[in-house]
Amino acid sequence: MTQEFGGFAAFELHPNILAAVIATGYEEPSAIQQQSIPIIMEGHDMIGQAQTGTGKTAAFALPILHRIDPAKREPQALILAPTRELALQVATAFETYAKQMPGVTVVAVYGGAPMGPQLKAIRNGAQIVVATPGRLCDHLRRDEKVLATVNHLVLDEADEMLKLGFMDDLEVIFKALPPTRQTVLFSATLPQSIRAIAERHLRDPKHVKIQTKTQTVTAIEQAHLLVHADQKTSAVLSLLEVEDFDALIMFVRTKQATLDLASALEAKGYKAAALNGDIAQNQRERVIESLKDGRLDIVVATDVAARGLDVPRITHVFNVDMPYDPESYVHRIGRTGRAGREGRALLLVTPRERRMLQVIERVTGQKVAEVRLPDAQAVLDARIKKLTNSLTPLVGDAESTHGDLLDRLIADIGCSPRALAAALLRKATNGQALTLAAIERDRPLVPTSAPRERSDRSSSSERPERSGADRERRAPVPLAEGRARCRTALGARDGIAAKNLLGAILNEGGLAREAIGRIQVRDSFSLVELPEDGLERLLTKLKDTRVAGKQLKLRRYRED
Ligand code: AMP
C-alpha cells in the first residue's frame, strides 16, 4: 500500500480502461496489481503468486484489455479458469473493465451449457475468451483453428486446474495456440508440477509475489466469521448487537461500500460515517474529530482514507471486506489496541476467501479463531440488557412525577398496570424484535464452516466443473433437484410475509402451488425456491410484479 491517490493513472492504461476502473470505485491498486500490471502491459510472460481476494483478476484483466486491438474482431486473449463459477466471474470482471471500450466482447465457455452459441460467439469475433479447460478442448476437437489468433494466455488458479485433473487438457490447449503468444500464470501455490509447466510453456517469465514479512500482532484479539458476500451487512448488524465496543472502524474496499454500509448503520440508529478518498480533507478531519470525542462511534473506511487515522477510543476493527494482503490486514487491525489497551479485530470471510485467511494466519503466526454469528438468544439477551440500561435511569423519580397520571390512564382505559406498561414498552422499542422467534426470522444465512471438498477426477470436461460448481453452491438449506433459489431485496422490514410472495408469484407467474418450494423471509431480503426449468422466462414474466407496493425484482441467487 504505497501508492498515492490516483494510483491507477500512473500505469498509463488506455483512458477508457482507467475511466471504467474509476467508475468501479477502486481507489488504489492492490499490491499484486501494482507489480503485475506494468509487466503484463510490457508484454512479458509472468508467474504471479496470489490467491483470491488479492485483486488478481484486475491484475491481469486491465493490462490484457490494454493490449488487445478492439478493431480486430477475432479472439485475442484466452483466460483459463478451473471452474464454471470462476470463469463467469472473470468474464464479468472483463465486461466491467471493458464497459467503455466499444466493440470489445467477452465470451465465457464452460461445460453444462450448449456448445453452439459459445462457438458462434467466438467465431463472431469475441476478443476475450474465458474458458474452463475441459469445455475448451471439446471446442478444439470440433475446430482446431479456433484459437489460432490468440496472442495472450492467462492461466488463473493454475494449481486448482491441476488438482482438478486438467493437465492433459492444458497441454492440448498450449499446442493450439501460437508459440509467440504472451503467457501469464497465476497460482496460489507453486508446487513442482506448476513450475514444470512454467518451464515448458513460458518464456523468460518475471516472478511476482507479494512480499510477506512475518508480522507481530499483540494485544489484539482476532476472530473471523464465515459469511456470504451479500449478507455482510446483516452479519455486521448482528455482531454489533453483542460486541461491547467504544469506537469502531470498519474496512471495506470501495467508496460505494463505505457509503452503503454507513447509511445502513445510521438507519439502525448507530452514529456512523463514511470515510473514502472522495471526501474532502476538512470533512475528513471533522469525521476523525467526531470519532475522537464520541459524536461518532463507527467509521466505515477504505484503506486509503484510513491512512494515518489514530484514535485511542477505537476498541474494535471489523474487516468487512478482506484486505488485499497480510500486511494491510496487520495495518488495519493496528488501529485498535492503541495505548496499551486491548483491542478486538473481526474478519468477515466469504467461502472463496478462506485461502486468504490461511495466508494471514501464516504471516502473522497466529490462529484467527472462528466465531459464529450470535444466536437468537444472545441477541435477545443483548437487546434486553440495553433496554434495561436505558430504562433504569428513567425509573428514578418517575413515579412521583407521572404516578398520578398513570393511575388516571389505567382508570380511563380500563386496563391493568401491566397491560399499560406493555403498551408503552411496545411504543418505546419501536417494532424491534424482542422474542426469540422474531429474531431468528431476521438472522442472516451463514455458510457452513466445513472445509471445501475437492475432486481429483479428471479428463471429462464436465466433471471437474461440476465439482467446482457444487463447492460454490453449498447452501445452508439444500436445494431440491430441479429447483433454483431466487432472491428479492424485499423482506420483513418492507412489510413482506411469505404468503404475499407466494400469492404474487402464483398469480403473476401462473405457477401451480407445488412448483414453488421453500420461501424464507428475512429482514432485508427474501429467498424463494422456483423451478429451474423455464426460470428465465418466469423471471421475465415477473419483471413488473409489485408486492406491498414495491417492485419484486426477483433474481437468481448465487451463494458467495
Ligand atoms: P480477486 O482477488 O480478483 O477475486 O478480487 C477480489 C475483489 O476485490 C473483487 O470484488 C474486486 O472487484 C475487488 N478489487 C480488485 N481490485 C481492487 C482495487 N484496486 N480496489 C478495490 N477493490 C478491488
Side-chain angles (χ1 to χ4, degrees), residues 157-202:
E157 300 199 355
D159 49 356
E160 286 292 308
M161 286 199 269
L162 292 198
K163 272 184 201 140
L164 291 173
F166 281 131
M167 186 69 205
D168 294 346
D169 292 335
L170 289 183
E171 292 295 341
V172 171
I173 296 167
F174 282 128
K175 278 209 195 84
L177 297 173
T180 50
R181 67 176 189 265
Q182 174 184 29
T183 309
V184 172
L185 179 153
F186 273 95
S187 192
T189 55
L190 291 185
Q192 184 46 37
S193 51
I194 300 279
R195 281 191 220 146
I197 289 190
E199 209 143 281
R200 279 204 307 280
H201 299 288
L202 272 66

Side-chain angles (χ1 to χ4, degrees), residues 66-118:
H66 178 85
R67 285 182 65 83
I68 62 159
D69 179 355
K72 276 198 199 151
R73 309 236 10 112
E74 59 191 22
Q76 295 173 48
L78 169 66
I79 320 318
L80 294 176
T83 63
R84 180 176 67 169
E85 274 63 37
L86 186 64
L88 282 168
Q89 219 168 299
V90 170
T92 309
F94 265 97
E95 276 165 0
T96 307
Y97 306 135
K99 225 174 224 156
Q100 309 194 24
M101 296 176 78
V104 173
T105 46
V106 182
V107 57
V109 168
Y110 48 83
M115 289 182 66
Q118 296 178 348

Side-chain angles (χ1 to χ4, degrees), residues 397-431:
D397 64 349
E399 200 174 347
S400 67
T401 57
H402 286 67
D404 290 344
L405 176 61
L406 188 69
D407 289 340
R408 173 156 180 201
L409 288 176
I410 289 166
D412 286 357
I413 300 169
C415 65
S416 69
R418 191 164 186 263
L420 184 55
L424 291 172
L425 257 185
R426 181 154 62 196
K427 192 161 175 347
T429 52
N430 201 14

Side-chain angles (χ1 to χ4, degrees), residues 29-92:
S30 68
I32 192 79
Q33 292 164 2
Q34 191 65 48
Q35 295 184 51
S36 310
I37 292 175
I39 294 175
I40 304 176
M41 275 174 84
E42 278 169 21
H44 296 288
D45 282 7
M46 195 193 93
I47 301 175
Q49 211 178 331
Q51 51 278 309
T52 299
T54 51
K56 67 177 163 63
T57 315
F60 62 76
L62 300 177
I64 296 265
L65 281 173
H66 178 85
R67 285 182 65 83
I68 62 159
D69 179 355
K72 276 198 199 151
R73 309 236 10 112
E74 59 191 22
Q76 295 173 48
L78 169 66
I79 320 318
L80 294 176
T83 63
R84 180 176 67 169
E85 274 63 37
L86 186 64
L88 282 168
Q89 219 168 299
V90 170
T92 309

Side-chain angles (χ1 to χ4, degrees), residues 245-249 291 296-298 311 313-317 336:
F245 65 94
D246 197 359
L248 197 153
I249 179 156
L291 189 64
L296 278 178
D297 292 328
I298 305 178
V311 176
R313 252 189 91 219
I314 295 175
T315 51
H316 284 60
V317 170
T336 184

Side-chain angles (χ1 to χ4, degrees), residues 179-332:
T180 50
R181 67 176 189 265
Q182 174 184 29
T183 309
V184 172
L185 179 153
F186 273 95
S187 192
T189 55
L190 291 185
Q192 184 46 37
S193 51
I194 300 279
R195 281 191 220 146
I197 289 190
E199 209 143 281
R200 279 204 307 280
H201 299 288
L202 272 66
R203 282 173 306 160
D204 196 15
K206 304 230 181 259
H207 288 251
V208 165
K209 185 180 175 184
I210 308 303
Q211 286 308 323
T212 49
K213 293 192 282 311
T214 306
Q215 309 267 338
T216 39
V217 187
T218 49
I220 300 170
E221 190 190 321
Q222 301 168 64
H224 80 271
L225 177 90
L226 270 178
V227 65
H228 289 297
D230 68 345
Q231 299 190 5
K232 285 184 178 178
T233 304
S234 23
V236 164
L237 291 171
S238 290
L239 289 166
L240 284 178
E241 299 231 25
V242 296
E243 288 291 333
D244 191 7
F245 65 94
D246 197 359
L248 197 153
I249 179 156
M250 296 189 184
F251 283 97
V252 293
R253 286 197 161 179
T254 62
K255 294 172 199 171
Q256 194 55 47
T258 63
L259 302 174
D260 293 347
L261 186 53
S263 57
L265 293 168
E266 278 191 300
K268 288 282 175 187
Y270 292 102
K271 293 186 281 176
L275 208 55
N276 62 50
D278 278 353
I279 288 171
Q281 185 57 21
N282 54 357
Q283 169 66 7
R284 179 177 189 274
E285 278 158 20
R286 268 204 298 277
V287 168
I288 296 173
E289 275 314 304
S290 305
L291 189 64
K292 279 188 180 152
D293 65 25
R295 275 173 295 156
L296 278 178
D297 292 328
I298 305 178
V299 165
V300 187
T302 55
D303 290 291
V304 181
R307 238 177 240 155
L309 188 150
D310 184 2
V311 176
R313 252 189 91 219
I314 295 175
T315 51
H316 284 60
V317 170
F318 279 13
N319 291 287
V320 177
D321 287 337
M322 184 63 94
Y324 302 112
D325 45 64
E327 264 149 333
S328 76
Y329 171 77
V330 173
H331 211 108
R332 286 178 176 189

Side-chain angles (χ1 to χ4, degrees), residues 361-429:
E361 290 182 327
R362 203 180 58 235
V363 171
T364 57
Q366 283 178 22
K367 197 95 193 112
V368 180
E370 183 178 355
V371 289
R372 301 284 170 139
L373 263 189
D375 61 15
Q377 187 65 54
V379 172
L380 180 62
D381 291 347
R383 287 185 183 175
I384 291 179
K385 189 170 158 205
K386 269 190 203 134
L387 194 58
T388 312
N389 289 344
S390 66
L391 289 177
T392 308
L394 297 182
V395 172
D397 64 349
E399 200 174 347
S400 67
T401 57
H402 286 67
D404 290 344
L405 176 61
L406 188 69
D407 289 340
R408 173 156 180 201
L409 288 176
I410 289 166
D412 286 357
I413 300 169
C415 65
S416 69
R418 191 164 186 263
L420 184 55
L424 291 172
L425 257 185
R426 181 154 62 196
K427 192 161 175 347
T429 52

